[in-house]
Amino acid sequence: MTRLLIVHYAGDYREADRLRRATGGETYYGHGYVLDQLAAWQAKHEAVGFLCSLAPSYWETLDSGVTVIGADTNPDQDPVPVLALIERFAPTHLIVFGPMLHLIRWGLEHDVRLGVIMADSFANPYYRWVRFRRLPKLLNDRRVTLVANHGANAARALVGIGLRADKVLAWDFPHDRTPETQACKARASGPPFTLLFVGSISAKKGVGDLVRAVALLKDRLDVRLDVAGLGATDKFAALATRLGVADRVRFLGLVPNGAIPAMMQEADAVIVPSRHNFPEGLPLTLFEGLASRTPVIASDHPMFDGHLEDGESALVFAAGKPRALADAIARLMTDPALYARVSQGSAAGWHRMQNPVKWGEMIDRWVRDDAEDRAWLSAHTVAALDGPA
């Protein structure tokens, strides 16, 4: 009988289930989808579990029969509690979600069917050559029977650090919010012009660059910035004060995912300013920004390459350059023709980002593992996607 365990670095699926039962909503995009997939698998298999390493310590069974587990530990710094919980669950099938080397090694050393799924870019040299220099050898091992990364560019990045192209897949969640459901925008509604950032609040995500861009625009353009998410809020609120734009920057805290589409539609621009050293896979904010038809201003992060066309489906600026970001904001807000063109072109960008391999089907086929499933997985690897070199 199949005992499937998925191990995450962060998250808390006990809380995600509680929230959905209480409100019908979700804090983060995809939580409801994952819970539904887990419940469907539980109905077919002996046991299905989801372990979140950083979540508070618990071991509970949801109404669906799915086991949710919290380890209350950082698996990179202290993997022992996580490994003990894995052994207690006794999986026949183990998916390690993220480049958690200790857990991958455990899977290789035990008689389990092992898969590794990620949402990391490995564009950062530190990730590639220092922290994860041993990752390619581990994942190329024949005992790792599923390797996938979030988005085509992220999958190719794994090949770039030494993984076999015929082994790596690009995956995604389904995206029900599409640009076809929204009207195009003819021009910005300001001044004041409203900018929206959604994501983790950190320097690598470009929040400092965005606050500095607002400061650079102080005497050029009347802009207001809303920042939704958790992280180093105090640090960047202090930066806004120091730069004299505290009255132009609002930190909203964690906003439920269901409220984000309306916020994006009401904004004049959605900003995705990730620096190259942030290990993006393919941020969901980018999908939702494009689907909202509000023009997106995004950095030139390698994981966005090929999806966004500057001046057509988005405005693209040099990552880590606040002045370049400020210029892009000013250019968009003062040129109605450009604004309308980017809003119109957002649909093309959204469709370029779509991926036929969805998280649930990919795992379902990997667990079932019949000849048709193996052929389907093989047909969606980077080698099949890109063809002969």
Side-chain angles (χ1 to χ4, degrees), residues 68-259:
V68 287
I69 308 165
D72 195 25
T73 189
N74 183 323
D76 294 330
Q77 298 172 4
D78 183 14
V80 173
V82 178
L83 296 177
L85 291 167
I86 293 173
E87 291 182 358
R88 176 181 168 187
F89 188 89
T92 60
H93 293 66
L94 174 66
I95 289 178
V96 177
F97 198 106
M100 293 179 279
L101 304 184
H102 297 290
L103 310 190
I104 295 169
R105 290 191 183 100
W106 186 95
L108 290 171
E109 293 165 1
H110 292 74
D111 187 22
V112 299
R113 185 165 170 79
L114 178 62
V116 179
I117 300 175
M118 289 174 280
D120 295 83
S121 70
F122 300 96
N124 183 345
Y126 171 74
Y127 267 60
R128 294 179 64 155
W129 307 122
V130 179
R131 187 176 178 191
F132 297 118
R133 63 189 181 279
R134 296 183 178 89
L135 185 65
K137 183 177 180 181
L138 289 175
L139 298 189
N140 278 330
D141 191 297
R142 61 178 177 76
R143 292 169 291 178
V144 181
T145 53
L146 174 66
V147 179
N149 211 350
H150 187 206
N153 288 341
R156 293 184 181 107
L158 283 177
V159 176
I161 65 171
L163 268 76
R164 288 171 28 204
D166 62 351
K167 191 168 189 175
V168 182
L169 289 83
W171 69 274
D172 197 6
F173 288 125
H175 295 281
D176 298 327
R177 300 164 186 162
T178 73
E180 283 72 25
T181 64
Q182 303 299 327
C184 294
K185 294 184 174 184
R187 61 189 304 129
S189 61
F193 301 102
T194 303
L195 314 176
L196 178 63
F197 169 91
V198 180
S200 59
I201 301 174
S202 71
K204 291 181 180 180
K205 283 289 279 186
V207 175
D209 301 324
L210 184 48
V211 172
R212 290 183 176 90
V214 171
L216 289 168
L217 290 168
K218 185 166 52 172
D219 298 325
R220 295 172 56 191
L221 197 69
D222 188 4
V223 299
R224 300 290 186 271
L225 169 62
D226 286 336
V227 178
L230 298 179
T233 301
D234 291 346
K235 173 183 175 181
F236 295 108
L239 175 64
T241 298
R242 194 161 63 248
L243 296 175
V245 290
D247 60 332
R248 301 186 179 209
V249 180
R250 292 194 305 170
F251 293 90
L252 306 177
L254 192 60
V255 176
N257 180 261

Side-chain angles (χ1 to χ4, degrees), residues 327-356:
D327 288 344
I329 294 168
R331 179 181 165 212
L332 181 68
M333 299 308 165
T334 59
D335 187 338
L338 173 65
Y339 193 95
R341 185 167 69 248
V342 172
S343 178
Q344 177 71 37
S346 62
W350 186 90
H351 284 288
R352 277 193 296 271
M353 290 168 57
Q354 298 308 302
N355 188 323

